[in-house]
Amino acid sequence: MKERDLAGKLEANQGQPANQSQPASQGASAAELSPTSGFFFTSAYRSLSTQGCLTKVTESAFDGDKINGAFQQAVAAAFSDARAAGIKHPVLCGAIPFDKRQPSALFVPQQTAWFERDEAMAGATGKEGALPEIASKTELPDQPTFMQMVSDAVQAMNDGKLEKAVLSRLLEITTREPVEPQALMSRIVEQNPNGYHFHVPLEEGALIGASPELLLRKQGNKFYSNPLAGSARRESCPEKDGEVSRVLLDSGKDLYEHHIVTEGMRQVLASRSRSLDIPASPELLSTPTLWHLSTPINGEVLDSQENALSLACLLHPTPALCGSPTLAARELIDQLEPFDRGLFGGIVGWCDDRGNGEWVVTIRCGTVKGDQVRLFAGAGIVPDSSPESEWRETGVKLTTMLRAFGLAK
């Protein structure tokens, strides 16, 4: 997809911060906004592209679920500053790390353009220029280490310490020339047209991806979620692909993994909901590379003061990204994974000053900094997990991002 095709159809919001050192117009010109000009997020619900930064929110989201907690106070202060600067309806966007105790990467942009994804993508064809050649790839951890991690997690479950843990690995890539984010983002959008696409500017480089998983959407007093847990690689042959989906839907191991996730979310959401609907059985959701077990959840908040971020922080991290029980799973992840996830496995999205917003889990993603690229993938480990199978599953998930570099196998 060409950036100019998408950017040309964006619709601008009002916004005029008074900070003369960082001027903002009363409505960013649609042609001025693009998938890599700032924060970029697409969804079938609502999509946006931004420019500039009025104020940052780095407060830890550890107590983000508490409406009057320190994090929510920092968010409210950022919105207040934005309104005082002339932005009528400010938006907070960005990412929150896997470990909510770490600093958040959130900000209020100076200019925000909302657009309809399907309309913007209609008729957008072609790809941007070729991406640089890959100079080297390094797996972290390597296959023997990752498989031992899975074995150790299964042993912990057999010892009764936890029910599920999500273990991940990284693929570190060095390119012969710096990566052009615009070209990479365009390929990601084109190859994963139905995902939640995102580009988050960081202090150094950017976080980009195409997540398939909605953590939380809130509109008015209604909220929605769509957890994914349990997956299988798709086949090019339609008959074989259909068989793969049927096997997944009947898989005891995957159904058990999915049940842990949905029940965990039920327990967390029940006390904060006036109504809550969680189907008893999952359905199938597909991406270009994978079949997933999926459960659409919807409900109504008990307290109208709830906002999209308070509910997202209440849920994050779900058993689909961490495990169950959460604390035990996080401790095991800290012990076994040879790296700090940072923003990987976190959440990315937006929330406006009226409490509406949308947050997705930060998977099928990577960070880009010059000629350095890091890709992330994880797999849910349960007592029936096979180390070899989990290695293959994470490999398939990395394929989504590898395809953006022309390396799909």
Side-chain angles (χ1 to χ4, degrees), residues 110-331:
Q110 293 175 298
Q111 301 171 351
T112 302
W114 298 98
F115 63 97
E116 294 296 328
R117 183 175 72 176
D118 292 345
E119 178 183 349
M121 290 182 176
T125 59
K127 297 180 181 179
E128 297 290 344
L131 290 158
E133 181 182 350
I134 303 301
S136 66
K137 292 189 295 180
T138 303
E139 295 172 341
L140 184 68
D142 58 18
Q143 183 172 358
T145 303
F146 182 81
M147 291 175 64
Q148 184 60 53
M149 288 163 52
V150 174
S151 296
D152 291 345
V154 170
Q155 184 60 54
M157 293 168 207
N158 291 335
D159 291 342
K161 297 179 181 178
L162 71 167
E163 295 179 286
K164 174 188 175 180
V166 178
L167 297 179
S168 61
R169 60 186 178 104
L170 300 179
L171 185 62
E172 299 182 322
I173 296 173
T174 300
T175 58
R176 298 197 184 281
E177 297 176 0
V179 174
E180 171 51 56
Q182 174 181 322
L184 181 55
M185 194 71 205
S186 293
R187 291 174 67 100
I188 290 171
V189 170
E190 184 168 23
Q191 294 171 17
N192 302 273
N194 297 318
Y196 295 91
H197 313 109
F198 55 87
H199 172 277
V200 183
L202 305 176
E203 290 293 335
E204 294 185 351
L207 172 72
I208 63 175
S211 176
E213 186 169 355
L214 172 68
L215 176 73
L216 191 285
R217 176 191 306 131
K218 181 176 177 292
Q219 184 175 19
N221 287 331
K222 304 288 187 179
F223 66 85
Y224 312 87
S225 183
N226 190 16
L228 308 180
S231 60
R233 183 173 186 169
R234 299 197 63 181
E235 297 286 345
S236 57
C237 171
E239 290 78 11
K240 291 183 179 179
D241 194 45
E243 178 61 23
V244 167
S245 69
R246 289 189 290 272
V247 170
L248 176 63
L249 203 53
D250 291 333
S251 167
K253 178 259 184 187
D254 291 288
L255 288 170
Y256 172 73
E257 178 186 347
H258 193 86
H259 177 74
I260 290 175
V261 172
T262 54
E263 283 306 300
M265 294 178 71
R266 184 193 303 275
Q267 292 173 15
V268 169
L269 288 168
S271 63
R272 306 275 281 260
S273 304
R274 185 177 304 279
S275 63
L276 182 62
D277 178 26
I278 302 180
S281 301
E283 57 189 45
L284 290 167
L285 180 146
S286 66
T287 71
T289 56
L290 290 168
W291 284 105
H292 295 281
L293 293 182
S294 159
T295 294
I297 295 173
N298 64 81
E300 183 178 358
V301 296
L302 186 63
D303 186 343
S304 60
Q305 289 187 299
E306 295 275 14
N307 57 57
L309 262 174
S310 66
L311 290 178
C313 290
L314 176 69
L315 289 171
H316 175 60
T318 72
L321 268 293
C322 181
S324 180
T326 302
L327 291 180
R330 191 176 67 193
E331 289 178 1

Side-chain angles (χ1 to χ4, degrees), residues 11-26:
E11 296 178 357
N13 260 2
Q14 296 293 314
Q16 189 179 12
N19 185 343
Q20 296 302 310
S21 64
Q22 295 182 347
S25 67
Q26 292 199 17

Side-chain angles (χ1 to χ4, degrees), residues 77-97:
F79 283 147
S80 178
D81 290 346
R83 286 189 293 268
I87 299 179
K88 186 175 181 181
H89 294 300
V91 173
L92 186 72
C93 58
I96 291 174

